[in-house]
Each structure stands twice: as C-alpha cells, then as structure tokens.
Amino acid sequence: MTIDYDREFQQCVDKVKQEGRYRVFATMERIAGRFPRAKYHAPDGSVREITIWCSNDYLGMGQHPVVLKAAHEALDACGAGAGGTRNISGTTRYHVELEASLADLHNKQAALVFSSGYVANQGALGTLARLLPDCVIFSDELNHASMIHGMKESKAEKKIFRHNDVEHLEELLKSVDPKRPKLIAFESVYSMEGDIAPIKEICDLAEKYNAMTYLDEVHGVGLYGPRGGGVAEQMGLMDRIDVIEGTFGKAYGAMGGFITGSAPVVDAVRSYASSFIFTTSLPPAVLAAARAAVEHLKVSDVERMRMRRNVELFKDLLTRADLPFLRGESHIVPLIVGEPNCCREVSDMLLRDYNIYAQPINFPTVPKGTERLRLTATAAHSIEDVRFMAGTLEHMWNSHHALRAVA
C-alpha cells in the first residue's frame, strides 16, 4: 500500500481551515524610528503604511536610539553570529554583562540567558523539577505553552490549580506528602486574560508548605516596578520568588529569554538543561541591544508612564462604548469576539478599511468560544492613535455588528 503523505498532512491543514482557525501571516516591515507604524506587504503585491495594535514591543524599545546604538556598535565590533554554543566558543562578554545586569535587576545571585523566553521556560522548568527527587509541580491552569512543555519534559507529577485560585492551590498542596519537594509555577501577567496573579498569597502558601516558586514575568519585566523588575518588584515581593523568568522580546524590544535566582539553582539549569547546552548562543548585537534596554529602563520611567496613560485612556474609551473586553489589571486589553471566523473578519476589516493591524487570537491559544483580539496600547502610540482605534471599534460594533458574536 502506498501512503500519500502530502494528502495526509493536507487533510490536517484543511481541518484547521474548516474550524476557522487557520492562521494567515501578515507580512510586515517595521519602520525604524516610527513604531507603531509599519509597511504592510499585501498578497497582491501592494505596500501601504499601517498602525500595529497587537505588538509585544510595549514600550517601543525596539526602536529606541540607545538600543539601536548598542546593537550597531556590537555588530561593527564582533560581526553577525555568535560562533557556537555557550560551552563551545559562544560565550561573549555581552552574555556576561547582560547576565550581571539581570541579576542586579531582580536582586538575585545569578542569571542565565537563553535563546528565547519559550526555551527559558522549557529548559528551566524541565530541569529543576527533574533534578528534585519525587518533585510535584503545582501549575496554574492558564500557564503558557512553554511552561507546560517544560513540566512535561521533567516527567514530574503535576497538579493543576484553577486560574489564580489560591484556595484551590492550598487544597492541592495539602494533598501532597509534606516531605516531597514542591514547585509552584505561575505567571505574573496572563497575556490572553490581561489579569495579574495573586503573587503575595501564592508566596505565603509556598512558605507555609515549603515549596519553590517559579514566576514567569515575560509580560511584566520592563513594564512594572520602579526599575522594570516586573510585577513582583512593584509589589515588593521579588525576594520571595525563587526563580524569575523573563524575556527580551517584549518590553525590552529585542530577543531572547532568561532566568534569575540563586547561584546553585541557576548553575544547575546551566549544567543540565539540554535546550541551553545544545543551542547556538545569541549574537553580540542582540545581547548588546537587550542590555541597553534593561539598563535604560532601570532608570527611565518615561516609557512606562506613557504606556500607562495610553492604556488607561483606551480602556476608558472602550468602557464608554460598552465593548466586551476583559477588564484585567494589566496593560493588555483582550477584546472578546467569541467566534473564529468572525474574529478573522474583524481583523481583516481593520486592516483593509482602516489600516490597523490586530491579529486574531483563536483556539488553541484560547478556548473555543472566547476568540479575541489581543490589543496593546503601547508607549509609542499617540493619544490620537488611541482615540482613533477606540472610535473605529465602536463604529464597527454599531454599524456592522461585527463584534456581536458573543451577544
């Protein structure tokens, strides 16, 4: 019997299309110095300027002169590539300086840089839980796919607690032998909900039941706290978190991920995590850009203030318009549409008719029936941008009923 492999895979793709969750990439060309403006390369070959409303470059640091200068200098000094893994010729002074800057940011003994935030979670969680004999992981049900990947790789027992439900977490902690090692894994800002974890209460339980804490701050670092240390810094709780994981790909405007913690914890991950050991390290230009962004946001609050102003205005305008967004405490604004094809249509209309780019978020990123636009009012948006976006959404709601899928 001959197997038609292409046909098998095409059927899988067709199923995704039938369910309305087939993802179409929009080809963008960011315009240096003009974020959130970008050039959109349409399928018909035309190019036009659009405004991005779904970027993770929350503070516009990917375009900041300090960051660009650092990247240019490193590129000119060292060239494009890293040349190897960290263990084989790939560790540069840029790694060492960035890791020292991160340890200082979170007031920890050590830090370790990874090629991405995903790989940082996969490597760190997979390693730490595996190295602790008979460990039990307690995981928030909405934790990111990268965290889930790491937990699976650890092969440790996992107990899932309801989202941000500390009472349920305690029930699960009580059910486990006190002598067993425990690790509580959670996020500070949940990017698809826009809400913030009860970090203090989780730390209280961790201390009560002798558990390690692992906090994913990818949507918090740079944005929260007086030096950009994240939500834990803003709440005065960094010292109570054992491992803080973050990224340079969002508020810092670059690329890569990291963990910070005690020297033994970080060294254990460095020594055992396959995803760290066998991956070519980040190039000098990226590392220099990341460090410049981290150091800048330790002392500058201007970008954070602009973002907070824009987010507050945007949420206020959406509230007045009675649009169905999740009213979380963070900077992220999830606008619920509730049906995949409708969500795609709304996104297409925004791009086609208003030159606004907001990518639809469908299953499996979010549960079926909760499809949404994940909107971000960044520090780089003007007040006019914010008012135009809110007014456009209100007009679409009233005129086209395009967002009424959940009504």
Side-chain angles (χ1 to χ4, degrees), residues 162-180:
R162 291 186 292 269
H163 179 52
N164 284 346
D165 188 335
V166 291
E167 291 184 359
H168 188 216
L169 172 59
E170 183 163 24
E171 287 178 18
L172 296 176
L173 286 164
K174 284 180 178 178
S175 70
V176 174
D177 186 339
K179 296 179 182 178
R180 293 182 68 180

Side-chain angles (χ1 to χ4, degrees), residues 19-23 53-54 141-142 163 187 189-195 219 314 318 323-328 330 332-348 350 357-376 389 393 396-397 402-406:
E19 294 174 355
R21 56 187 185 91
Y22 182 73
R23 302 182 183 196
W53 266 90
C54 55
E141 66 177 336
L142 295 187
H163 179 52
E187 302 181 36
V189 178
Y190 287 86
S191 65
M192 292 303 148
E193 308 298 311
D195 57 357
H219 291 278
F314 189 47
L318 294 185
L323 293 182
F325 72 97
L326 299 181
R327 289 161 171 77
S330 78
I332 296 170
V333 181
L335 183 68
I336 303 298
V337 178
E339 198 280 328
N341 293 298
C342 185
C343 198
R344 164 57 64 187
E345 184 179 352
V346 171
S347 175
D348 290 346
L350 284 169
Y357 175 57
Q359 182 72 0
I361 307 295
N362 295 329
F363 178 83
T365 305
V366 296
K368 291 180 180 179
T370 69
E371 289 80 6
R372 65 199 66 181
L373 300 179
R374 178 186 169 279
L375 305 173
T376 52
M389 179 59 165
L393 291 171
M396 290 174 65
W397 175 271
L403 305 180
R404 291 193 181 274
V406 293

